[in-house]
């Protein structure tokens, strides 16, 4: 910083001029200037001119120069757009070292012909915590799955069952301040300011138990090897409901990974089912007395989602919340030396050393995001921001733009 005193303030002691009124270094002309959206004047009572209406596209664009988390949100929109619109045809395969390596790796593959390069797009991993499926963010995620805008989904047990339960009975708006000791006798379960009647879970049990019977029969008689992802695919087929995320994942062949599938109502049902199937805790009968879910086969499949993306295909990660989904996606991308694109959207902080709160740069240190990537973390609540994040680039892509 310049410390040359201003002549107009020469009457001040030199110490004050230097400490308080020192000059500034010049800022490059290309540096964006902070400025928010300029709202139009309200329409007069005599006229309702369209020129007075809010331009929501410009409003979202203005977030980039608004500052704080609005700027990070706009950067996240840009990162998501980049991962959605990337194609292999955009890469220079002749004049860069990376391009030459891509070209060599493409040899003898179905994409060796440059005419096919526009068909190679980013493989996008989406991760979310269960509370977001309980909320209305479920509809945003369902939209992405319905229109094949993501390739792999990772969530927790609640993220599976809450979607399926909503096909049978609704979740209601409640209040954060409702008292648990008053709700419990009424059979009402609270998730933040959402209310889920316990009857919903009873309906889920009635629906799920016959499916578990069928799964066990297929395991015993046909030798079917169940994994969490294979079970989720089966549930998506059985629910057969267009409002369901997992119906669209089943229909569009989007794999869903959930290594913690027993940590929720599904786990309760699997536990209850062992009483029905007559499991013996001390027996070693090769898994024939109860349903067996092979998580080792699933971790192989999950990591292969990343590994099979050779150097000529990009990967991207959009992660809502933290915990298991965040680490599961990042760790899978470690297997290919990092994701090319990444957006984290959560409210967790890094001061406690948690993976949930870790910034993207920590993932870079582990090789989970590439060193040359431009990842973005938005410190914000997903129910407020994710529908807007979906609204910015996705509809244009669905419409073919």
């Amino acid at each position: 910083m310049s410390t040359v005193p201003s002549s107009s303030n020469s009457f001040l002691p030199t110490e004050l001029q230097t400490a308080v009124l020192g000059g500034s270094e010049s800022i490059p002309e290309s540096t964006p200037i902070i400025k928010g959206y300029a709202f139009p004047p309200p329409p007069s009572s005599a006229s309702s001119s369209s020129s007075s209406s809010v331009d929501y596209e410009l409003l979202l664009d203005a977030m980039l120069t608004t500052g704080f988390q609005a700027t990070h949100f706009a950067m996240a929109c840009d990162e998501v757009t980049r991962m959605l619109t990337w194609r292999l045809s955009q890469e220079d395969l002749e004049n860069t070292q990376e391009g030459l390596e891509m070209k060599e790796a493409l040899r003898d593959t179905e994409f060796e012909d440059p005419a096919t390069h526009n068909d190679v797009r980013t493989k996008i991993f989406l991760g979310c915590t269960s509370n977001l499926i309980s909320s209305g963010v479920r509809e945003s995620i369902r939209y992405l799955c319905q229109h094949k805008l993501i390739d792999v989904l990772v969530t927790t047990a609640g993220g599976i069952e809450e979607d399926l339960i909503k096909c049978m009975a609704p979740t209601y708006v409640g209040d954060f301040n409702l008292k648990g000791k008053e709700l419990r006798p009424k059979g009402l379960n609270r998730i933040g300011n959402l209310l889920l009647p316990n009857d919903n879970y009873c309906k889920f049990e009635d629906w799920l138990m016959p499916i578990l019977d069928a799964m066990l029969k297929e395991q015993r008689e046909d030798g079917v090897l169940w994994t969490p992802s294979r079970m989720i695919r089966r549930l998506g087929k059985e629910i057969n409901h267009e409002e369901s995320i997992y119906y669209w994942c089943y229909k569009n062949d989007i794999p869903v990974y959930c290594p913690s599938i027993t940590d929720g109502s599904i786990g309760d049902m699997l536990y209850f089912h062992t009483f029905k199937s007559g499991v013996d805790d001390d027996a070693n009968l090769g898994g024939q007395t109860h349903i067996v879910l092979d998580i080792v086969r699933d971790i192989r499949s999950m990591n292969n989602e990343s590994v099979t993306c050779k150097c000529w295909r990009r990967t991207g990660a959009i992660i809502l919340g933290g915990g298991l989904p965040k680490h599961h996606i990042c760790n899978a991308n470690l297997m290919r030396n990092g994701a090319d694109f990444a957006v984290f959207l959560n409210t967790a902080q890094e001061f406690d050393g948690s993976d949930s709160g870790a910034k993207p740069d920590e993932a870079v240190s582990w090789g989970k995001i590439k060193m040359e990537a431009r990842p973005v973390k938005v410190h914000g609540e997903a129910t407020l921001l994710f529908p807007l994040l979906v609204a910015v680039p996705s509809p244009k892509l669905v419409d073919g733009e």
Side-chain angles (χ1 to χ4, degrees):
M1 183 177 74
S2 170
T3 57
V4 178
S6 169
S7 59
S8 63
N9 297 309
S10 57
F11 62 90
L12 292 174
T14 301
E15 294 81 356
L16 287 178
Q17 293 185 53
T18 300
V20 181
L21 301 175
S24 305
E25 292 184 358
S26 356
I27 294 177
E29 291 184 5
S30 60
T31 304
I33 296 172
I34 291 296
K35 187 175 183 180
Y37 175 68
F39 282 89
S44 65
S45 57
S47 170
S48 58
S49 170
S50 61
S51 62
S52 298
S53 60
V54 174
D55 187 323
Y56 290 98
E57 187 169 352
L58 289 179
L59 175 62
L60 289 170
D61 288 344
M63 287 190 176
L64 183 63
T65 56
T66 295
F68 305 138
Q69 292 309 302
T71 295
H72 275 234
F73 174 76
M75 292 168 62
C77 290
D78 180 62
E79 181 77 347
V80 170
T81 300
R82 288 176 63 234
M83 71 174 81
L84 285 170
T85 57
W86 178 86
R87 298 293 184 269
L88 179 59
S89 57
Q90 299 167 6
E91 301 293 332
D92 182 351
L93 304 186
E94 302 294 341
N95 301 305
T96 66
Q97 182 61 37
E98 183 185 27
L100 291 171
E101 291 173 0
M102 285 183 173
K103 184 176 180 180
E104 179 61 29
L106 284 163
R107 194 181 304 279
D108 298 325
T109 72
E110 62 181 307
F111 296 109
E112 182 177 9
D113 184 353
T116 66
H117 290 184
N118 203 49
D119 298 327
V120 180
R121 62 181 184 82
T122 307
K123 174 176 273 192
I124 298 178
F125 296 76
L126 175 67
C128 68
T129 48
S130 67
N131 57 324
L132 299 179
I133 305 298
S134 301
S135 77
V137 171
R138 175 210 189 204
E139 278 61 44
S140 298
I141 295 172
R142 188 270 309 153
Y143 168 85
L144 297 176
C145 297
Q146 179 179 354
H147 295 287
K148 303 182 184 180
L149 293 173
I150 64 167
D151 300 281
V152 179
L153 179 60
V154 178
T155 188
T156 57
I160 305 299
E161 62 211 23
E162 293 296 320
D163 171 78
L164 301 170
I165 289 171
K166 282 185 175 182
C167 296
M168 307 168 197
T171 298
Y172 297 92
V173 176
D175 191 287
F176 283 102
N177 295 315
L178 293 173
K179 302 300 182 184
K181 65 181 181 180
E182 297 174 3
L183 295 175
R184 178 61 177 166
K186 298 176 181 178
L188 298 176
N189 305 295
R190 182 171 68 84
I191 302 175
N193 60 350
L194 315 180
L195 286 176
L196 289 83
N198 214 55
D199 286 347
N200 292 18
Y201 293 96
C202 297
K203 292 175 182 177
F204 180 58
E205 179 182 3
D206 292 341
W207 177 78
L208 183 59
M209 279 297 179
I211 298 173
L212 297 181
D213 290 341
M215 288 173 57
L216 181 58
K217 184 174 184 292
E218 291 166 28
Q219 176 182 296
R220 287 172 171 170
E221 298 179 4
D222 304 324
V224 173
L225 179 62
W226 293 104
T227 65
S229 63
R230 190 169 187 176
M231 178 180 179
I232 295 163
R233 178 175 170 81
R234 176 64 168 269
L235 298 180
K237 176 183 178 181
E238 296 288 347
I239 197 65
N240 194 28
H241 198 299
E242 291 192 355
E243 291 183 9
S244 168
I245 292 170
Y246 303 107
Y247 165 79
W248 287 108
C249 288
Y250 162 74
K251 190 167 184 179
N252 290 332
D253 290 323
I254 298 171
V256 182
Y257 296 99
C258 180
S260 61
I261 196 166
T262 57
D263 187 30
S265 182
I266 290 176
D268 297 343
M269 299 305 112
L270 288 167
Y271 171 60
F272 296 161
H273 194 262
T274 63
F275 291 94
K276 186 176 183 181
S277 61
V279 64
D280 182 349
D281 292 333
D282 299 319
N284 182 14
L285 301 177
Q288 295 306 303
T289 62
H290 61 280
I291 293 172
V292 176
L293 299 177
D294 187 345
I295 61 171
V296 175
R297 187 173 291 263
D298 253 12
I299 191 59
R300 178 179 173 84
S301 297
M302 174 63 184
N303 287 347
N304 280 344
E305 297 287 353
S306 165
V307 171
T308 54
C309 285
K310 305 299 183 183
C311 67
W312 44 266
R313 188 177 184 188
R314 305 297 191 195
T315 66
I318 303 172
I319 304 175
L320 313 178
L324 183 149
K326 182 175 185 238
H327 186 265
H328 209 50
I329 289 174
C330 289
N331 199 68
N333 277 276
L334 166 63
M335 303 299 155
R336 67 182 301 272
N337 203 29
D340 300 278
F341 309 100
V343 169
F344 297 170
L345 175 54
N346 61 59
T347 57
Q349 303 295 315
E350 66 174 345
F351 61 80
D352 59 1
S354 66
D355 183 71
S356 294
K359 295 178 182 177
D361 189 62
E362 184 173 306
V364 173
S365 78
W366 288 87
K368 298 171 182 177
I369 297 175
K370 288 191 182 298
M371 291 186 288
E372 60 272 19
R374 290 157 35 190
V376 181
K377 173 171 178 175
V378 184
H379 293 263
E381 206 269 294
T383 60
L384 191 62
L385 295 177
F386 189 63
L388 295 175
L389 189 62
V390 171
V392 174
S394 302
K396 294 180 180 179
L397 292 168
V398 171
D399 291 339
E401 294 185 26

